[in-house]
Amino acid sequence: EDKVVQSPLSLVVHEGDTVTLNCSYEVTNFRSLLWYKQEKKAPTFLFMLTSSGIEKKSGRLSSILDKKELFSILNITATQTGDSAVYLCAVEAAGNKLTFGGGTRVLVKP
Amino acid sequence: DTEVTQTPKHLVMGMTNKKSLKCEQHMGHRAMYWYKQKAKKPPELMFVYSYEKLSINESVPSRFSPECPNSSLLNLHLHALQPEDSALYLCASSQAPWSGTEAFFGQGTRLTVV
């Protein structure tokens, strides 16, 4: 059975802090790893990672994948209150199957 | 247009009712998905359609019946639901076969079964 585990479950930081979120996975026929941000309803796409060791960056967010050790990290630097959300990691396997981790709830305090 | 549109946004139904959730995308995506999300939990995959054919059914009870009438539309027919089926139902789509692109999610239908 495909498995995606995220840590920590939740964290509270202050504006300006840097956060690092972890995602480890065990899936058959790995295709890609995706990060989503979910605030109220629909998860919104952040990154898709397919190759090991290549950092994807978008503003204050960055992510990297290690296919040998089967994990990914999502970094958020200079956090803002608008970064408060649940961050979901999902792994795409063969057959277009997307399996989500349990999410990390981030609260950024002013 | 990178939108996945779901209707209705909210639905309250009785346990004897029959209702349908609708999902539409015009991105030319050929894989579409239904997910169920309970409060404070991640989305759980229910069904995957690939090229309008059901490719994955994650052992979903038969009171949930998916339908893909064409490549842009995905329905979820509901019948004789239980209160524990109350959840946010998310539709998503992506290119298929796998082409290295992300899945786009709709805003969801919040379903309450009374």
Side-chain angles (χ1 to χ4, degrees), chain B residues 36-52:
Chain B
K36 174 183 176 179
Q37 188 174 25
K38 303 282 273 185
K40 298 189 179 179
K41 296 283 187 185
E44 293 176 4
L45 182 65
M46 299 174 73
F47 302 105
V48 179
Y49 271 84
S50 183
Y51 289 100
E52 295 98 70

Side-chain angles (χ1 to χ4, degrees), chain A residues 51-105:
Chain A
S51 302
S52 232
I54 298 175
E55 186 183 48
K56 291 272 182 101
K57 207 168 164 57
S58 175
R60 296 176 294 103
L61 278 67
S62 64
S63 184
I64 197 159
L65 174 68
D66 185 328
K67 286 170 79 171
K68 187 179 172 192
E69 299 298 328
L70 307 182
F71 79 91
S72 174
I73 60 170
L74 175 69
N75 278 319
I76 311 174
T77 59
T79 51
Q80 302 171 358
T81 54
D83 296 325
S84 296
V86 174
Y87 290 84
L88 294 164
C89 169
V91 176
E92 184 176 17
N96 298 113
K97 186 177 173 180
L98 205 60
T99 302
F100 282 85
T104 295
R105 189 172 295 274

Side-chain angles (χ1 to χ4, degrees), chain B residues 65-112:
Chain B
S65 173
E67 179 199 18
C68 191
N70 60 56
S71 59
S72 299
L73 293 174
L74 185 67
N75 298 322
L76 186 63
H77 303 298
L78 315 171
H79 174 54
L81 294 194
Q82 305 295 312
E84 59 264 29
D85 296 321
S86 299
L88 179 68
Y89 288 83
L90 292 164
C91 173
S93 71
S94 67
Q95 288 184 20
W98 177 77
S99 58
T101 62
E102 68 275 19
F104 290 88
F105 283 83
Q107 288 298 308
T109 294
R110 188 159 302 280
L111 174 68
T112 304

